[in-house]
Amino acid sequence: MATKYVYFFGNGDADGDESMRAELGGKGANLAQMAKAPLSLPVPPGFTITTDVCQEYYKLGRKYPADLEAQVDKFLAKLEKAMGKKLGDENDPLLVSVRSGAAISMPGMMDTILNLGLNDKAVEGLAKKTGNEKFAYDAYRRFIQMYGDVAMGVDHDKFEAILESVKNKAGVKSDQELSVENLKEVVAKYKEMYKKEKGEAFPQDAKKQMWGAIGAVFGSWMNERAIKYRQLNNIKEGTLKGTAVTVMAMVFGNKGDTSGTGVCFSRDPSTGENVFMGEYLMNAQGEDVVAGIRTPQKLSELEKTNKKIYDELCKIRARLEKHYKDMQDMEFTVEEGKLYMLQCRNGKRTGAAAVKIAVDMVAEKLITKDMAINRVEPQHVDQLLHPTFNKAELAKGIKIASGLNASPGAACGQIVFTAAAAEEWAKAGKKVLLVRKETSPDDIAGMVAAEGILTATGGRTSHAAVVARGMGTPCVCGVEAIKILDAKTISVDGKKYKEGDFLSIDGSTGAVYAGQIATEDAKLSKELDTFLGWCDEVRNNSVRTPAVGAKIKGFGVRANGDQPVDAENAFKFGAEGIGLCRTEHMFFDPAKLPYFQAMIACDTKEMREKALKDILPLQKKDFVGIFKAMKGQPVIIRFLDPPLHEFTPKDKASINEVVKILKAQGVKMDAATLEARFNTLHESNPMMGHRGCRLAITYPEISMMQTEAVVLAAIECQKAGIKCQPNIMIPIVGEPRELATIRSECESVIARVQKEKGVKVNVTIGTMIEIPRAAILSDEVVKSADFYSFGTNDLTQMTFGYSRDDAGKFLDAYYTRNILDDDPFKTLDKNGVGELIKMAVNKARSVKADFHCGICGEHGGDPESIKFCYEAGLNYVSCSPFRVPIARLAAAQAVLASKAATKPAAKKAPAKKAAAKPAAKKAPAKKTTKK
Ligand code: ADP
Ligand code: MG
Ligand code: MG
């Protein structure tokens, strides 16, 4: 049998259903699902051409598979029969919309054509048949414009200019005030302009129009906007087959005051509250609502003006939520009092809404906790950690206007009026607010660059609002008080604001303020706390059985933090320990730096030891602070790592201070000698030079002082009744004997201090795996280690041989030339670096079966890398304090994903047990038979 390329829906039935997203696109799959039982919602009939055709279309060099035309003809005939009208009929034409839709929703990225099938004769027929000439010509002028723009590439502005001029001449403000004569004039002028632009008359053949539109949709899959959208959303080219095309019968919201069109959400997409909300316009067609041409009315108004339709919508809202078990974003049209559903999908939402909806739906028993965990994206949690305005500053702020709270979060910046300017200014390091009448898909890059987005028109479902929410960028829409005066000036209530002036916006309240208002970091909400608690349960209860070594219970999340304040933050965000405390940051503290500089200036061991004595108590104090903040959880303290020249004084005054300190320590050295000495520390390749454990090999007294500080801090805590678990970590080990040597020196210090103080403490010693050689020799290195932490920043740098500081210069070319997919410094390179990690872990565990391993590079906060770490058998990940909540979620998702991946084996479980589960009752054998 030939491949089935076309799927019908309508007449209460459908060929496809929601499980066919990959083939029918989200829109087509959900239209089919809504049309058929049990939902059986009022959906106009139509058919969907699969994404396979799109894939073929590009494979064949923009040609259709041979069989397509015949299949389309067959289903078009079926559609005509269902509607009792024929496409192109001059007396009673069937009009259709041609819509696009990929498996993943890409709002506003590809274009829909409405009212297709009209021509000079059919418009007359439609007028007669409906007795509504104004409607017929309104539909025709819309069609010529959309078709001309989307399918034929005639500049949108040229149509707008004609429309504007007719409106001006007629003295009307809005489109729907145009008379039949005016509309006829618009149509005539559109066609004339079209002919001039294209060198041929506007196509009159309806079939030709239809194929032109289908081609335009498939063509739009590779337009700049779509490609950019996929890039911004990390959808790799080739992971989707393409877009599907849906051709469906038109229903008309522009037939007068008993008709209209709208968009609604089953819950508030901004806050997640369980309220029905949406926007609609009477006497309008689809795109009018989202385009922000007129500011739409709230759905609550519909309840007052048309209770019957409103109630019907409420019922549909409830049924769709129950069916999809998720918040729905719906499109509807009312034609002369009859309601039609045109689209439904799981609604995009803010981070706050995602968490609230997930938590609420578990309470409503609509979804399980595991489902809730998969509903919230790491990015959503990230958004919740975004700043709000400082309360005191806000009280002093001058509110100049307000609009719709379209995407939450506080933002402050210099205003710019074009996307290009936003990009340019942001590149120059400025914080900008993008101010537009309304945004369009062409503004994407500027919207990404902006701190916040402010528009003069448009509602909560306008392009600006939808896109801003997706990006987690604060946005205030529909601020009607904003008047755009010229390209570089706006006015609000008569006061002018020029490009570069500061404004502040609150996307949570819709308020706009003059000037700059300081922002503050967010705190975790109660809901997020509950939600992350569920994530922790999943993580902590996970059990892995690795190929090498013992069972691994739990998957931890720790934080990287150098100072007590970092540790406090980390703890607040739920970190279970410090995975990396870099001690050099402590030395950069202005109170300690000159002492450290004095130490490195010394040329004998005795002198250095003297100098180190001054640093010891300061370092100990830091450790005590961190141990206190972590309340008994493990803290990995990495010993001195960077090359010494990074610490040398940069000016005369600093050098003189070191001279003073040395003098107090009984060392006479003048400024010139000192400077010369510092100059000798310069290295030509410092990152591969005298750093890390190499410092401990040449100057053992440094690591011994650090060990002493750790032990003293632990003893002090212990005496004060504060629990602590100090772990010493030696960096840059590449040869097992490096670690063995340093370890024995550290151990001697631990033994000595314990004896002196008469107190025993538990201090472990491990190493950072960041030199490929250490990974290769892991079964030797492990003999001197109590634990490993993978320092994936250096490990990536050393494995690729890319300098982290210089890679930016060439990596872009690697992405565009398809040599690399991702930045290996952001997302862990599984094939290379990942293999080294797995090898090191397995070799270590072949010696010590329950050997403890973690990661402390940047990758520890990256969701995709976290998934890898789980699969590779690491015991925990460690990331920056502000990413800890994201990591807690990503870690739980990694656990669930790995459970799901091993499910097929679970299928063999006794049938009785599966049937006993309540969830299994509702989902009969259907799912398993489908494939
Ligand atoms: P998008 O993906 O940009 O939302 P859609 O395909 O959903 O594009 O269509 C754009 C607008 O046109 C929507 O408001 C939709 O409801 C409306 N629309 C699409 N098909 C029809 C139709 N057959 N009858 C009436 N309105 C339609
Ligand atoms: Mg569109
Ligand atoms: Mg839509």
Side-chain angles (χ1 to χ4, degrees), residues 69 110 267 337 462 493 513 542 581 634 690 792 800 822 828:
E69 196 173 334
M110 285 175 290
R267 299 187 190 215
S462 66
D493 285 340
Y513 303 88
S542 70
C581 171
H690 192 186
T792 48
F800 275 94
D822 298 302
L828 196 108

Side-chain angles (χ1 to χ4, degrees), residues 244-261:
V245 180
T246 296
V247 177
M248 67 191 291
M250 282 299 301
V251 286
F252 300 100
N254 57 334
K255 267 192 172 173
D257 294 335
T258 57
S259 303
T261 184

Side-chain angles (χ1 to χ4, degrees), residues 27 97 99 108 110 112 114 248-251 286-287 331 333 342-343:
K27 204 180 278 170
S97 65
R99 316 173 69 181
M110 285 175 290
T112 292
L114 302 179
M248 67 191 291
M250 282 299 301
V251 286
E287 296 277 290
E331 285 175 6
T333 284
L342 290 172
Q343 190 176 336

